[in-house]
Amino acid sequence: MARQDDTILRKRFDGVLDAAELARARAAGTELAYCPLQQGWVPLAADEEGDLAPPLSWHVGRLPLFKQVPGRPVHPRPESLTLRVWVEDDLPIYRALLCDPSLWTWMLEDRPARLDDDTCRALIALSTEGTHHKVRVATLGGRPVGQVRLEYGADPAAGELSYWLGAAARGRGLGRQMVRRFLDRLAVQQPGIRRITARVHPGNRASVRLLEACGFRACDRAELGLAPRGRDDGSWLGFLRRADQGAGTSSELSP
C-alpha cells in the first residue's frame, strides 16, 4: 500500500510518478491523472479534478490554466526532461550533437562519414518515419539533449532499446530520467510490449548502472537472442527488462 507521505500526499508539481511509485499507487487504488504539462502521471487530489487531463489528452485548449503563486516557480524541477519527436527546427542542435566525437565512443553504429545538413535532415526524417522503431528526443528547457529509441523486432511483444546523451547533459542523472520516462510512457501507450532488451559495450559502466536502475538485468546473450550487429562483435553485454519488472531504486546515473 502506498505510504501517505510517499505518493498520495504528493502535490501535482512535485513531479510525475516514476515506475515504482506508479505501481504502488495503482496497487493502493490511488486515483491518478495524466498531467499534459509535465507529460506524466500524478496523484489526483480532490481539488484538482477539473484541472487535470484524462490519460493522453493533448487538448490543452480545453483545460483551465494554472496560476503561478508569486515567488514560487510553476515547475520546481528545472532539470526535468520532456520527450517529443524531432522536428526540422532542431537541425542545428541535432547536427552539433552528432558532430561531437565523444558521442560515438559507445555507440552501436559507426559515425557517418558526412554529417552535413542534408545528412542530418535525412536522419531526422528517418526517425519520424516507418513502423520499425519509435524515436523520441529528450529536451531540457526546450533544448534537445539526447535521444531514446525502441527498435521493434519480429516479435510484436518485444523491442530493443538504445539511447544517447550530448556531452553537456552527461553525469547529471538525465540519462536515467530520459529512459525511465520513455519506458513509463511506452507502458501506457503500447502495453503489448512486454520484453525490452538492450546491449552495452563492456567498458560503458555508466550505461550498465543506468539500465540496472531502470529495471533491466544482465542476461546471457543466447537467452536474449542478440545477434552481433554494427560495432557489437558479440562481446557486448546483454540486458533484459520485462513489463512486470519495475524500475530500480539505484542512484540516478547517466552515460
Side-chain angles (χ1 to χ4, degrees):
M1 181 174 180
R3 297 176 304 181
Q4 290 291 314
D5 61 346
D6 189 30
T7 301
I8 298 176
L9 295 183
R10 285 182 59 174
K11 296 180 181 179
R12 176 183 180 182
F13 284 103
D14 286 343
V16 299
L17 303 178
D18 61 31
E21 293 170 333
L22 186 60
R24 290 199 304 269
R26 285 173 171 163
T30 303
E31 289 188 274
L32 303 172
Y34 192 88
C35 175
L37 297 180
Q38 300 180 91
Q39 299 184 23
W41 292 92
V42 295
L44 177 60
D47 60 347
E48 294 179 324
E49 291 181 353
D51 296 331
L52 293 170
L56 305 182
S57 172
W58 297 102
H59 301 293
V60 179
R62 297 172 55 189
L63 300 175
L65 297 178
F66 286 85
K67 294 181 180 180
Q68 182 174 353
V69 178
R72 293 185 58 188
V74 172
H75 201 301
R77 297 175 61 190
E79 291 214 323
S80 181
L81 292 174
T82 59
L83 298 178
R84 60 169 172 81
V85 297
W86 288 102
V87 296
E88 187 162 352
D89 287 346
D90 295 326
L91 182 61
I93 298 176
Y94 183 79
R95 182 180 178 186
L97 289 169
L98 293 191
C99 284
D100 177 7
S102 71
L103 184 71
W104 300 90
T105 303
W106 309 117
M107 293 273 273
L108 183 63
E109 302 85 4
D110 288 318
R111 184 179 185 275
R114 296 177 56 190
L115 279 171
D116 55 16
D117 283 352
D118 288 340
T119 301
C120 291
R121 186 177 289 107
L123 291 173
I124 287 178
L126 180 64
S127 75
T128 61
E129 297 175 354
T131 58
H132 67 291
H133 66 183
K134 178 174 185 173
V135 180
R136 291 294 181 267
V137 53
T139 67
L140 186 62
R143 183 180 180 85
V145 295
Q147 174 181 288
V148 59
R149 174 178 183 260
L150 187 75
E151 180 180 358
Y152 305 122
D155 181 355
E160 181 173 339
L161 184 80
S162 60
Y163 48 86
W164 54 259
L165 276 177
R170 296 173 201 154
R172 297 158 56 184
L174 299 175
R176 178 184 174 192
Q177 190 180 148
M178 173 179 69
V179 170
R180 292 192 67 171
R181 182 156 297 188
F182 181 81
L183 294 174
D184 287 347
R185 291 177 65 173
L186 190 71
V188 173
Q189 297 170 353
Q190 296 178 262
I193 297 179
R194 313 292 296 174
R195 182 177 182 272
I196 300 176
T197 58
R199 64 182 86 206
V200 178
H201 188 285
N204 191 356
R205 302 308 303 170
S207 193
V208 169
R209 294 191 292 269
L210 182 153
L211 289 173
E212 290 175 342
C214 291
F216 286 80
R217 62 181 178 86
C219 284
D220 181 80
R221 289 180 59 116
E223 176 186 344
L224 299 179
L226 290 178
R229 56 182 291 195
R231 296 168 65 188
D232 174 16
D233 59 1
S235 64
W236 288 31
L237 306 176
F239 288 84
L240 172 68
R241 184 182 190 272
R242 297 189 183 278
D244 56 356
Q245 295 180 232
T249 58
S250 303
S251 61
E252 197 161 288
L253 294 168
S254 65

